[in-house]
Amino acid sequence: MTVNVRDAVEADAETLGSIVDLPADALRNVVHDRTVRLAVDQADAGPNADAENGENAESVLGFVAFDVRDGTVHVTQLAGDADVAERLLAEPVRFAVNEGFDVAFVVPDSDDDAEAAAEAAGFEAVGPGPRFDGDSTTRYRFRPGD
């Protein structure tokens, strides 16, 4: 498996919606309003696979969405297993380090993959977060230089 990370485009909205069980229109707005990066498994189908069959021979393994407010990068969505999620978290972290910003991330306590990815990526649990749909969350923070 060859995992690549690329920018999401509007055509990815349907796939992203199916990953997080939200309508494609909602994810289309996310793609327009935030930075969204995808982890894809690029099948080794040869250099002309796209042209030969009209389809891209990739499958989406996960994605991260983030934006910047008040000098902080906010991770707003993360999907994928722990290894893929950790790789995806490198995207907002890289941006934050270059800009001298912190990264904030609220993780549902039931999302073991996101929790493991955040900790492996150098995020620190900084306390309880808001409840989402009755589920408790934990606030994570990445501070460059820590």
Side-chain angles (χ1 to χ4, degrees):
M1 172 169 40
T2 303
V3 177
N4 295 311
V5 176
R6 68 167 175 83
D7 288 328
V9 295
E10 187 173 313
D12 295 315
E14 195 78 35
T15 300
L16 300 180
S18 69
I19 291 171
V20 293
D21 197 27
L22 290 170
D25 286 343
L27 273 295
R28 198 168 286 108
N29 289 337
V30 170
V31 169
H32 287 241
D33 296 342
R34 295 187 175 91
T35 300
V36 180
R37 305 281 287 157
L38 302 178
V40 296
D41 177 7
Q42 188 70 44
D44 189 13
N48 298 317
D50 293 358
E52 291 171 6
N53 62 21
E55 294 181 19
N56 196 343
E58 69 178 18
S59 61
V60 176
L61 303 173
F63 73 97
V64 64
F66 59 97
D67 60 8
V68 178
R69 293 184 311 275
D70 303 322
T72 300
V73 177
H74 295 270
V75 175
T76 58
Q77 289 180 300
L78 180 69
D81 70 24
D83 291 335
V84 168
E86 180 184 354
R87 183 159 179 195
L88 287 166
L89 282 175
E91 298 296 315
V93 166
R94 185 177 6 266
F95 178 83
V97 167
N98 287 337
E99 298 297 325
F101 296 155
D102 288 353
V103 184
F105 183 27
V106 176
V107 177
D109 291 343
S110 61
D111 191 341
D112 294 336
D113 286 330
E115 179 182 342
E119 290 173 1
F123 284 72
E124 177 185 340
V126 294
R131 293 183 76 76
F132 290 124
D133 294 328
D135 294 333
S136 58
T137 64
T138 300
R139 291 181 189 275
Y140 283 85
R141 196 82 169 184
F142 178 89
R143 293 180 176 90
D146 279 2

